[in-house]
């Protein structure tokens, strides 16, 4: 090895990942304090959506949430283990229809209330800090629309000689 270890430098993603994980842990703590176990914050969005749409295939649910099929499939598997959703064969052998269990259905009113409270909390945080998180995210999204991340990385990429 002839170069220095690039991972010795501070990771620019670390703070963001740490912040998101801490915020998610706080949301999960709200669930636990309310006696709701086995429910992760990432379950709220699909559970609420299924309550309003009725059964959907994984692909339909992923599309409606703006998430990847793979991510939703993993979330569904975790929710099935917690008896929040059922997974039945869909219209053809390749698809599965996802629906709420009774437990999942009973949690939806609380999850909708928590969803609204979380959105109000984000708005409150946006008012408290000099640069609103939601505005910064939108500005980053626009900058990447003008020049995608891949192009930016390639501009700075200096590959080692063969």
């Amino acid at each position: 090895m002839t170069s220095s270890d690039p991972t010795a430098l501070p990771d620019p993603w670390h703070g963001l990942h740490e912040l998101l994980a801490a915020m998610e842990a706080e949301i999960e703590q709200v669930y636990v304090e309310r006696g709701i176990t086995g429910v992760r914050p990432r379950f709220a969005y699909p559970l609420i959506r299924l309550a309003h749409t009725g059964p959907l295939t994984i692909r339909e649910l992923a599309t409606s949430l703006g998430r990847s099929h793979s991510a939703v499939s993993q979330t569904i598997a975790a929710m099935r283990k917690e008896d929040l959703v059922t997974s039945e064969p869909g219209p053809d052998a390749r698809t599965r229809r996802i629906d709420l269990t009774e437990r999942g259905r009973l949690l939806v009113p609380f999850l909708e209330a928590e969803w609204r409270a979380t959105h109000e909390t984000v708005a409150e945080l946006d008012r408290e800090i000099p640069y609103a998180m939601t505005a910064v995210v939108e500005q980053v999204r626009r900058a990447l629309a003008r020049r995608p991340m891949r192009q930016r990385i390639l501009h700075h990429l200096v590959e080692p000689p063969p």
Side-chain angles (χ1 to χ4, degrees), residues 15-24 27 117-142:
L16 181 59
H17 289 297
E18 196 172 67
L19 176 63
L20 290 172
M23 291 167 75
E24 234 182 57
I27 294 169
T118 298
H119 279 242
E120 289 172 20
T121 299
V122 170
E124 177 183 289
L125 285 169
D126 275 354
R127 291 188 300 272
E128 283 184 34
I129 58 178
Y131 306 102
M133 290 184 297
T134 53
V136 170
V137 168
E138 186 53 34
Q139 289 171 358
V140 170
R141 189 183 325 274
R142 286 180 188 160

Side-chain angles (χ1 to χ4, degrees), residues 56-60 69 73 80 86-98:
L56 295 172
T57 65
I58 293 176
R59 184 163 313 288
E60 290 167 338
H69 183 279
S73 183
R80 267 198 341 258
T86 61
S87 175
E88 304 295 331
D92 63 55
R94 297 171 301 172
T95 60
R96 308 284 297 167
R97 290 194 68 77
I98 309 305

Side-chain angles (χ1 to χ4, degrees), residues 34-73:
R34 296 300 185 278
I36 300 169
T37 58
V39 177
R40 310 278 310 191
R42 69 185 170 113
F43 297 174
Y45 198 9
L47 288 171
I48 294 167
R49 183 58 51 88
L50 286 167
H52 289 271
T53 63
L56 295 172
T57 65
I58 293 176
R59 184 163 313 288
E60 290 167 338
L61 183 58
T63 299
S64 80
L65 300 175
R67 304 283 192 263
S68 72
H69 183 279
S70 174
V72 171
S73 183

